[in-house]
Amino acid sequence: MRLLAACTLAPILCFAFQDLGSNYGGMDWLTYGYTAWPLMIAPVLMLVLFFRNRELIRNPRMGANFSQTIKIVAAMYLLWNIIGAIGYNWLAVISALCCLIILVADRQLKKQARV
C-alpha cells in the first residue's frame, strides 16, 4: 500500500509544487513537463505493482482496499493521461493503456477468483 500511495501522491505533489512555484515563486524552470512526466510514469509503476500483488486482488479479504484504491487511481490517471496525450506528448498513450489494463485485469482476476 505504501508504494501505491507513493505512485498516487508523487505526481499530485509535483503538480501542486509546479503550480505554486511558477505562479508565486517566479521559478521559470518549473515547466509543465515537471508535472506531466510523473503523471505518465506513475501508471506504468502502478501496473508493475498491480501484477506483483495480484494475489491481493484474488483474495478479497486480504486485498479489498488495494483493489479499490488501484482502480480509483487508475481511473483518475486515465483521464489525465488522455488529456496529456492530446495536449502534451503522445507517449501518454502508453500510460493510458496501462490504466486501462489495470481496470480490465482487476475485473478479470476477480472473475477467475469466483470460479
Side-chain angles (χ1 to χ4, degrees):
M1 275 312 260
R2 290 181 192 148
L3 291 173
L4 182 60
C7 289
T8 303
L9 293 178
I12 294 169
L13 291 175
C14 288
F15 183 73
F17 183 70
Q18 188 273 334
D19 190 39
L20 289 174
S22 63
N23 288 340
Y24 300 109
M27 297 180 204
D28 295 331
W29 57 272
L30 290 175
T31 63
Y32 286 113
Y34 182 78
T35 302
W37 283 102
L39 279 173
M40 291 189 290
I41 293 170
V44 176
L45 295 176
M46 286 185 342
L47 184 64
V48 170
L49 185 66
F50 177 80
F51 281 117
R52 290 188 72 193
N53 295 315
R54 57 185 176 261
E55 290 300 321
L56 291 175
I57 295 167
R58 288 185 183 143
N59 188 355
R61 291 182 186 172
M62 287 178 36
N65 291 336
F66 180 79
S67 177
Q68 291 173 350
T69 305
I70 202 161
K71 284 192 308 189
I72 290 170
V73 174
M76 178 181 70
Y77 282 157
L78 177 64
L79 174 69
W80 285 109
N81 280 306
I82 290 173
I83 292 169
I86 294 170
Y88 181 72
N89 194 342
W90 63 271
L91 287 173
V93 172
I94 296 169
S95 298
L97 289 175
C98 288
C99 291
L100 284 173
I101 290 170
I102 289 171
L103 292 172
V104 171
D106 183 77
R107 182 171 291 155
Q108 293 298 322
L109 284 173
K110 284 184 179 179
K111 282 183 183 179
Q112 289 176 358
R114 288 182 195 145
V115 172

